Amino acid sequence: MLRWLRPAEFHKTVWQVDGAKLVSRGVVAVLVDLDNTIVEYRQYRTSDALEKWIAGLKSHGLRICIVSNSRRQALAASLGAHIDVPVITRAGKPSRRALRRAMAMLGAGPSETAVIGDQVFTDILAGNRLGCHTILVSPLSRHEFPGTRLVRILERFVLRSLKIDQEAVPPDHVQ
Ligand SMILES: [Mg+2]
């Protein structure tokens, strides 16, 4: 069970995920979560940190898609348009369907795709089910969907077993 939930990498903030390192692992496509991964929960606006990070990934030739379980399609699409990254909402992770769709769109297979997110039971599980390179990050805020808070209780047990300390990190925390 833990094998499906274990991320290949963990970072305190998404901004530490380095494009050059991904490329050196053979990664060509990055599927990144939205809420609490690149923006605070339901705060769908850009930030300097986000724009710098996206530009860095693109400078290494990485193809990017935001894959989110959010239902706020219009707001998410408008953020995506602003940073020139396609967005898939209502992804239903840990279902693999939306991730497969994103990979097909970006022309990448699972072994050359990184899946990044702040939740073990959605982002990491979906990515691991496909055999992608999975990267867990700390959530950008403590605000989240009430259902998520319940899942976090379970998640804490998993992370403790995996010896990962996933504490929320403020959004402008750039290292
Ligand atoms: Mg999230």
Side-chain angles (χ1 to χ4, degrees), residues 70-89:
S70 171
R71 293 168 181 276
R72 304 190 152 198
Q73 203 265 332
L75 285 172
S78 135
L79 172 67
H82 188 81
I83 57 175
D84 196 22
V85 171
V87 179
I88 295 175
T89 48

Side-chain angles (χ1 to χ4, degrees), residues 116-157:
I116 307 175
D118 69 303
Q119 283 194 60
V120 167
F121 289 102
T122 55
D123 308 306
I124 302 306
L125 180 55
N128 283 345
R129 289 180 71 203
L130 284 163
C132 297
H133 181 71
T134 47
I135 304 176
L136 180 71
V137 297
S138 292
L140 285 180
S141 80
R142 291 178 198 277
H143 301 284
E144 46 200 358
F145 182 65
T148 304
R149 270 184 236 141
L150 288 177
V151 175
R152 291 280 188 204
I153 295 170
L154 257 180
E155 198 179 69
R156 239 170 278 146
F157 284 103

Side-chain angles (χ1 to χ4, degrees), residues 33-37 93 117-119 122-123 152:
D33 175 51
L34 180 58
D35 285 85
N36 271 342
T37 294
K93 295 173 282 184
D118 69 303
Q119 283 194 60
T122 55
D123 308 306
R152 291 280 188 204

